[in-house]
Amino acid sequence: MRSRSLVVVALAAAAGSLAAATAVPHAVAAPESPAAAAGPTAAGPRDIVLVHGINDSSSAWNSMVVKLKSTGYTDAQIHRFDYPSDHGSRVQGTAADLGTFIDKNVKSAKFDIVAHSMGSLISRYWMATASGSYRAGDVVNWVSLSGPNHGNQAAGWWGDAAGVYKNFYWDVIPGSDAQRTANNGASYNWRGETGEQSPTQFTTLRSGCDDSWFDVPLHVPVQLDKTSLDSTSLGGAINYKVTNTDNTFGGACPTHAGMPADPAVQQKVVDTLTEEGVGGVYEMKLESVEMLEANGDDHTNDDLFGYVRVTSSGGNNGWNLSNVYWRNDYDDTDSSGNRWLNVPNSSFNRGPWTTCGNGRCGIDAMIVDEDGHTYVDPDDVVVNGSYVWDQRHQSAGPGSAVVQGLAGKARVYYNVRVR
């Protein structure tokens, strides 16, 4: 391990230096929030569909159902999709079964989906291909708990020997056809895999203690030679990191299997489903990033790389998007030879300000200290963290947040204003 002195990476840039085609529009009147338009009425909440993970069953949701019913849901509004995950299934066929289940059981015009692990890939595949009575636009909230949304390296290693899980594992190999279908036709899309014109609000939650996929955590970069995104987080979504150092979740740090039953996770799910509607329209920009600690396991090279981005999810008019303020691929340098890019990269940045769809903006940071392998060991991850600004709980103006990982942490400085 080694320590580095404080490094400040300036991220501010003039809006005029960016192409008009990539700038976030400022003159568009705020549309009515899709969630507000389809929100709960006096009769009770919308229907909700729960989709479990691999090698599991609908019983994984038992305590979540208790929590939902304590907040006003009835048995008739809660639908648990149970599918056989202990044999050679494929995402495509299981997603079709999910569509049949939704058409048969869901009664409200709009509904929500909460999915765990493999259920995240199955449910978003259905959203991308739905052809029944219900379509993706009828989903108000899609919430993923530890979903392998960008795949997992362990799937390739275990696919040959996984036996009864073999077929499902092929769909979790990074870049699989199933992932491309679910992610709007691309394995990875820095501008947002959820679709800019989607009326759905997308939310992901991942845990710093998630290590059950054969010791390849879902919160480390998926493949260094392709992307430094972690598996669960999505562009065009609000991404939460549940860690034992994040006060947002009261010190919770659930395992992969423990996500659906964790009380702090359950409360965040309920808050996401019920905190609907916005007042003013806000927007966020990043000002700088200060490395507070960076202790990786390569002692010879200054090889930190990764990204810092702002994400938003809130429906139409381009609000489901990701705005990347700093990004550096492995072994890339800028024109001055610096490994840390200190200005917005015009290939990924949409302008200095990001509109906070439905009153939320998220900051994601992934900074890695690679040790020369073709995959990431857990101790390569210096920072993998998220921070969510929510107008219901925070005020506009300048602020900062600490994001961290297993071997380091950084402070991200931001500003929020009324658009």
Side-chain angles (χ1 to χ4, degrees):
M1 296 289 184
R2 70 180 184 278
S3 298
R4 293 188 177 89
S5 58
L6 297 184
V7 180
V8 177
V9 183
L11 296 167
S17 65
L18 299 171
T22 62
V24 177
H26 290 260
V28 179
E32 182 181 19
S33 165
T41 66
R46 291 178 297 273
D47 284 19
I48 183 171
V49 176
L50 305 174
V51 188
H52 65 77
I54 195 171
N55 197 29
D56 212 337
S57 71
S58 59
S59 64
W61 299 110
N62 285 351
S63 63
M64 178 74 80
V65 168
V66 172
K67 176 67 174 180
L68 291 171
K69 291 172 70 172
S70 74
T71 64
Y73 286 85
T74 67
D75 285 325
Q77 294 168 321
I78 302 172
H79 311 286
R80 294 195 248 189
F81 175 58
D82 217 341
Y83 61 95
S85 63
D86 58 350
H87 62 73
S89 303
R90 294 303 291 264
V91 165
Q92 180 180 8
T94 308
D97 292 342
L98 172 61
T100 301
F101 175 87
I102 289 171
D103 282 345
K104 180 180 179 180
N105 293 281
V106 172
K107 305 303 180 186
S108 60
K110 302 287 185 179
F111 66 100
D112 298 317
I113 293 176
V114 179
H116 176 230
S117 191
M118 180 67 76
S120 302
L121 188 56
I122 291 167
S123 56
R124 286 198 61 230
Y125 192 102
W126 170 78
M127 292 175 69
T129 60
S131 59
S133 301
Y134 285 95
R135 304 296 176 89
D138 298 318
V139 179
V140 178
N141 286 284
W142 176 85
V143 183
S144 170
L145 310 182
S146 295
N149 300 318
H150 293 129
N152 188 275
Q153 297 171 65
W157 305 335
W158 285 88
D160 289 323
V164 294
Y165 305 121
K166 181 174 181 178
N167 287 338
F168 259 142
Y169 275 124
W170 291 147
D171 290 330
V172 188
I173 295 174
S176 71
D177 289 341
Q179 288 165 53
R180 272 193 290 269
T181 299
N183 289 340
N184 251 347
S187 300
Y188 313 97
N189 186 342
W190 287 95
R191 285 174 165 77
E193 299 98 329
T194 62
E196 287 192 35
Q197 298 306 315
S198 171
T200 304
Q201 298 171 78
F202 295 89
T203 304
T204 78
L205 290 85
R206 65 198 190 280
S207 172
C209 296
D210 184 340
D211 59 358
S212 69
W213 271 76
F214 306 104
D215 297 322
V216 181
L218 295 184
H219 59 89
V220 303
V222 175
Q223 277 188 317
L224 291 185
D225 57 338
K226 293 184 178 180
T227 180
S228 53
L229 284 165
D230 66 72
S231 186
T232 299
S233 300
L234 291 168
I238 295 298
N239 303 303
Y240 292 94
K241 178 74 176 288
V242 186
T243 73
N244 51 8
T245 57
D246 188 341
N247 290 331
T248 303
F249 293 89
C253 198
T255 63
H256 184 82
M259 286 288 281
D262 184 85
V265 171
Q266 291 177 354
Q267 186 61 54
K268 182 57 69 177
V269 169
V270 169
D271 291 346
T272 300
L273 300 182
T274 58
E275 291 187 342
E276 298 170 337
V278 296
V281 178
Y282 291 83
E283 53 191 9
M284 171 186 279
K285 74 171 180 176
L286 298 187
E287 302 288 359
S288 63
V289 176
E290 179 185 19
M291 288 302 302
L292 302 178
E293 182 180 335
N295 298 318
D297 62 353
D298 184 339
H299 298 267
T300 59
N301 298 308
D302 184 13
D303 52 6
L304 293 180
F305 66 102
Y307 66 86
V308 181
R309 65 179 178 177
V310 171
T311 62
S312 176
S313 183
N316 300 313
N317 293 306
W319 287 10
N320 277 7
L321 57 87
S322 175
N323 201 5
V324 182
Y325 285 80
W326 173 81
R327 180 176 187 268
N328 192 13
D329 290 323
Y330 186 47
D331 281 337
D332 283 352
T333 61
D334 63 14
S335 57
S336 64
N338 296 320
R339 300 298 295 270
W340 290 64
L341 305 186
N342 60 3
V343 295
N345 184 330
S346 60
S347 297
F348 300 98
N349 190 271
R350 293 173 177 237
W353 294 92
T354 300
T355 302
C356 300
N358 200 37
R360 294 181 178 94
C361 267
I363 298 173
D364 294 334
M366 172 72 79
I367 301 172
V368 172
D369 182 14
E370 166 59 350
D371 57 10
H373 295 134
T374 57
Y375 59 91
V376 174
D377 299 318
D379 59 359
D380 291 334
V381 180
V382 176
V383 172
N384 175 272
S386 295
Y387 169 78
V388 177
W389 182 91
D390 190 325
Q391 74 167 82
R392 283 157 283 253
H393 310 297
Q394 288 127 315
S395 302
S400 69
V402 174
V403 289
Q404 63 186 70
L406 295 175
K409 56 186 177 181
R411 182 175 295 278
V412 180
Y413 295 88
Y414 64 87
N415 199 3
V416 176
R417 71 183 186 187
V418 178
R419 195 177 74 178

